[in-house]
Amino acid sequence: MLPRKKNMRAIVFAVILLVQYSEQHGSGAPPGACVDQMPRHSGIQAQTSVPPYAITTSASQVRQGDILNVTIGSPFGAPVPIGGFILQARQVQNPDTIEGIFVKVPNTGIAQITNCRGNNDTVTHTSPEEKQPLTFQWKAPNDLLGGISFRATVAQGYATFWKNIESPIVEVVTPNTVITTTERMSTTPRTSQSPPTIMESKPKPTTSKPDVIYQGCADTKLCFGVPQNCISKGDCKAIVAVFVAGDTYTFEIQGTDNPKYVAAGLSKDNKMGEDSSMECVRNDNGRISLFTSWTYPKAEPYVKRSDSPQEIVQLLESSIIDGKLYCKFRRDVVSVVMGQTFDLANNKYNLMVVSGDSMKDADRVGFHSLAYESTGEPLALATVGSAAGASKLLLKLHGSFMLIAWLGSSSIGILLARYFRQTWVGRQLAGKDIWFAYHRILMVITWLLTIIGFIIILIEVGGWSTTGDNPHAITGIVTVILCFIQPIGAYFRPHPGTKKRPIFNWLHWFFGNAAHILGIVTIFLAIYLQKAELPIWSVYVMAAFVAFHVIVHIILSLTLCVSEGRISNGRVNSFPMKDMMGQPRQMSHVDRSTDAPFSTFRRHMLSIYVPIILIFVIAMICLVALAPIAETYNSIAGV
């Protein structure tokens, strides 16, 4: 009998263990699972197949403080029983943030409301028994505007569960927003058959509708976006839309690329400064705020909220979805900002739209690093259709002139002065040696194009203007100054052989090369300017130019060194740059009647250098003139 008693005890012990194992987490998700929604089922991972469950909501929008019905069920024909689950509302922008509270669960006693990061922010099961679709009531928070989605982990059994099942996005809007209530299913497609437990991969939607801000741009709203022609394609980096109904002016603004802010401005011209601005700002906590501000022309504080009344705008909706920051708001028809009256019904304004990825401080937006554009002319805000941007002709002329000056004429002119002083001996142009005549012509072209380009950009921007963290404007003005003083110094150069001539040679060499190097650096910096709209691969074109330019200089420098040390018939061929050493040349030992050694080779190198440099110049001018190149190509190709 003793062995039988031992066997019975072993059986009872095993049954107790099995009961404890089967009841593990049966009364709800464990406390540690509420954040990551991962069941603590030892050694068991979530399924990677298509989940046989879906989360539906009773509406695509919910007002602050209102109730929304949320259902966990099966999107397929035959319902799949639910074993256990945990359900929460999560911010779209910050998925770790749980929002709202649950206020009601089914009366069957198989679900409960619990706490995770806040009171009543989670619902979970109370028993592991099979359940049919469950509907809960969720209350939207009063301090949130933006997108949320309901996320759940649902288990069929202890060893089979699916994580990150999400509902379609629900927008939390202001209490006075008019919304319609229709049940919305998640993106899992319906089928007439119950699916197998294991499937391959979750399908994704293949088509998408344009964002709501683009709807009506052709017939009911005034729209303006960046870059040009983006509205018809629905891919603007930043866009502002104005809808007028009677005396109600409703604005929408949206920026892409996960901006920190997107703003629209009302201006009397197409220059930034003395404008009434409206800012849609993404705060660090994920909330979205609307502010008004006043912009100052080219002086601190640039943008100031305290100088603009905040009550002239009323936020209606806001969201940040897929990196797109969006605000919808109304603005008073008549408002007074900094002593100026903004009458939206009777006056015309240039629309401005900007976006950036940083803030100067808590109360000031940062530089418009992502997008900036203004309409070309003042418009009545009741106008319908897509507005055209301001002309960029002056901007493109500035870029083209500087490219010709510093990639083209100055590069060739410096090369001639350094390596061709004793080439084409005996030949002259306008009474001057060939090398000097062409050097002077090319440097005069450089000077003229630089000064004209500088004047053009001052007209374009309306005076001195910074470019945010990009030092393009600073290096550019230094280049212009160095370029401006070069011909003045050359006019007063001392005669060869005098004591001050070496000083002139050093200064002329230093300022010329410094201007050329800074000019090239300034062009590199221009590629990163948002206003230039140049493709980032333009950097590689410029890098190729620099590499080619340096290689040619190295080759010609080697020939110069060899030719200076070459003695033929007791005569040494010398180059005038020796004056830089402060030692007068021994003219009796220098032969100036013939070309220096390797002159033929240098002429061949010049015949290669000039056409390739011109190719680089033309390529960069095309990028500037046709910017943005991708949109221009698509427009020409009819894409």
Side-chain angles (χ1 to χ4, degrees):
M1 294 294 293
L2 190 59
R4 295 184 63 184
K5 287 183 179 180
K6 288 183 178 180
N7 290 339
M8 288 296 295
R9 289 175 182 173
I11 292 171
V12 170
F13 182 73
V15 170
I16 292 173
L17 288 178
L18 287 173
V19 170
Q20 288 178 340
Y21 182 84
S22 65
E23 290 298 318
Q24 188 176 19
H25 310 327
S27 60
C34 78
V35 176
D36 60 6
Q37 295 191 345
M38 183 67 183
R40 299 317 193 247
H41 298 175
S42 178
I44 300 175
Q45 299 299 316
Q47 299 293 318
T48 58
S49 59
V50 175
Y53 306 103
I55 304 173
T56 66
T57 58
S58 57
S60 61
Q61 294 179 314
V62 61
R63 302 182 189 91
Q64 292 173 324
D66 278 5
I67 303 298
L68 183 74
N69 291 331
V70 186
T71 301
I72 299 180
S74 173
F76 303 99
V80 179
I82 299 170
F85 67 92
I86 181 171
L87 174 68
Q88 297 160 334
R90 300 283 185 116
Q91 275 191 24
V92 173
Q93 176 62 23
N94 296 305
D96 292 336
T97 303
I98 305 173
E99 294 288 358
I101 60 173
F102 288 92
V103 295
K104 186 177 181 181
V105 297
N107 295 325
T108 55
I110 56 177
Q112 61 182 331
I113 301 174
T114 185
N115 305 330
C116 182
R117 288 183 168 171
N119 293 329
N120 302 333
D121 59 1
T122 305
V123 288
T124 186
H125 57 280
T126 58
S127 70
E129 66 184 56
E130 293 186 349
K131 310 167 188 62
Q132 296 303 310
L134 300 170
T135 299
F136 312 96
Q137 290 187 349
W138 176 83
K139 184 177 181 181
N142 294 318
D143 60 348
L144 172 69
L145 284 172
I148 60 101
S149 64
F150 291 89
R151 180 187 294 181
T153 293
V154 183
Q156 277 186 333
Y158 184 85
T160 307
F161 61 89
W162 288 263
K163 273 193 66 180
N164 296 329
I165 302 173
E166 293 188 346
S167 72
I169 293 173
V170 176
E171 289 294 323
V172 180
V173 297
T174 54
N176 57 352
T177 303
V178 177
I179 60 177
T180 57
T181 304
T182 55
E183 186 178 57
R184 304 166 70 236
M185 296 292 292
S186 66
T187 57
T188 309
R190 289 184 176 273
T191 180
S192 58
Q193 298 180 354
S194 178
T197 302
I198 304 297
M199 297 177 71
E200 290 187 3
S201 60
K202 187 174 181 179
K204 297 181 179 179
T206 56
T207 59
S208 59
K209 294 182 179 179
D211 297 332
V212 66
I213 194 170
Y214 297 99
Q215 299 173 15
C217 285
D219 48 22
T220 61
K221 296 191 294 190
L222 171 63
C223 298
F224 176 60
V226 181
Q228 60 182 351
N229 304 320
C230 66
I231 293 175
S232 59
K233 295 179 289 186
D235 61 354
C236 296
K237 292 183 178 180
I239 179 175
V240 56
V242 186
F243 176 73
V244 181
D247 59 354
T248 301
Y249 285 73
T250 303
F251 289 77
E252 296 171 277
I253 49 179
Q254 178 174 285
T256 63
D257 300 326
N258 202 32
K260 188 67 176 178
Y261 74 91
V262 58
L266 301 176
S267 178
K268 294 182 179 179
D269 54 28
N270 61 4
K271 304 291 190 299
M272 187 171 289
E274 297 186 349
D275 315 311
S276 178
S277 178
M278 300 151 284
E279 308 167 359
C280 179
V281 179
R282 172 173 57 87
N283 301 311
D284 292 337
N285 60 4
R287 300 290 197 271
I288 298 173
S289 302
L290 179 70
F291 302 97
T292 66
S293 60
W294 181 255
T295 65
Y296 289 85
K298 304 178 181 63
E300 287 287 354
Y302 295 107
V303 179
K304 195 172 182 180
R305 292 176 185 166
S306 59
D307 289 341
S308 178
Q310 301 300 313
E311 66 275 7
I312 62 176
V313 294
Q314 303 85 42
L315 182 63
L316 303 177
E317 300 176 27
S318 66
S319 65
I320 181 158
I321 302 172
D322 296 332
K324 299 176 183 178
L325 178 60
Y326 170 83
C327 280
K328 181 178 181 180
F329 54 93
R330 294 194 183 101
R331 175 164 175 150
D332 294 350
V333 180
V334 179
S335 56
V336 179
V337 185
M338 290 295 290
Q340 296 190 27
T341 300
F342 287 83
D343 188 340
L344 307 188
N346 298 311
N347 294 335
K348 295 182 178 181
Y349 297 96
N350 286 83
L351 279 176
M352 289 184 173
V353 60
V354 301
S355 67
D357 56 7
S358 64
M359 302 287 291
K360 283 186 178 293
D361 51 51
D363 297 321
R364 291 191 301 164
V365 298
F367 184 70
H368 42 79
S369 55
L370 299 178
Y372 166 68
E373 192 58 271
S374 171
T375 56
E377 59 182 1
L379 300 168
L381 298 186
T383 305
V384 172
S386 298
S391 171
K392 295 186 177 180
L393 176 61
L394 294 181
L395 190 68
K396 294 178 185 295
L397 285 175
H398 164 77
S400 299
F401 286 175
M402 293 304 187
L403 287 169
I404 296 172
W406 296 104
L407 264 62
S409 59
S410 65
S411 298
I412 300 171
I414 289 173
L415 198 82
L416 288 173
R418 185 165 186 180
Y419 304 108
F420 292 86
R421 294 188 177 216
Q422 199 168 340
T423 307
W424 304 292
V425 173
R427 298 176 60 185
Q428 292 188 331
L429 179 66
K432 300 294 183 181
D433 289 344
I434 289 289
W435 75 267
F436 182 77
Y438 281 109
H439 169 75
R440 185 165 59 180
I441 291 171
L442 290 168
M443 302 321 288
V444 168
I445 291 173
T446 300
W447 190 89
L448 288 173
L449 290 176
T450 300
I451 299 303
I452 294 172
F454 178 66
I455 294 172
I456 286 175
I457 201 61
L458 288 180
I459 296 173
E460 168 67 17
V461 301
W464 170 257
S465 177
T466 60
T467 49
D469 295 331
N470 191 317
H472 172 83
I474 297 173
T475 58
I477 191 66
V478 174
T479 302
V480 171
I481 293 172
L482 292 175
C483 176
F484 184 80
I485 65 177
Q486 273 294 85
I488 299 175
Y491 181 80
F492 292 103
R493 67 185 181 277
H495 289 290
T498 61
K499 293 182 179 180
K500 294 184 179 180
R501 181 65 180 225
I503 298 175
F504 164 79
N505 285 342
W506 275 110
L507 292 177
H508 192 67
W509 173 88
F510 175 78
F511 286 128
N513 283 279
H516 188 234
I517 293 171
L518 274 177
I520 300 301
V521 170
T522 303
I523 294 172
F524 268 102
L525 293 173
I527 294 172
Y528 296 95
L529 291 177
Q530 177 272 324
K531 186 179 287 189
E533 298 181 304
L534 291 172
I536 194 62
W537 49 263
S538 302
V539 170
Y540 300 110
V541 179
M542 286 296 301
F545 161 82
V546 171
F548 174 72
H549 180 74
V550 170
I551 289 172
V552 171
H553 270 267
I554 291 173
I555 294 173
L556 293 177
S557 293
L558 290 175
T559 64
L560 184 149
C561 292
V562 172
S563 63
E564 283 188 338
R566 187 171 184 176
I567 302 176
S568 177
N569 297 324
R571 293 174 302 202
V572 178
N573 288 283
S574 178
F575 287 81
M577 290 305 289
K578 284 189 174 183
D579 285 344
M580 294 177 63
M581 305 305 295
Q583 298 174 356
R585 293 167 293 161
Q586 302 298 321
M587 299 302 294
S588 60
H589 295 283
V590 179
D591 182 7
R592 289 295 179 184
S593 62
T594 61
D595 285 0
F598 300 106
S599 290
T600 300
F601 175 77
R602 281 193 290 272
R603 284 196 294 268
H604 286 314
M605 286 298 299
L606 184 65
S607 67
I608 296 172
Y609 178 82
V610 172
I612 294 179
I613 287 296
L614 292 178
I615 290 173
F616 278 115
V617 172
I618 293 171
M620 288 301 299
I621 288 177
C622 288
L623 291 177
V624 169
L626 300 177
I629 191 70
E631 285 76 7
T632 303
Y633 172 79
N634 292 336
S635 177
I636 295 173
V639 178

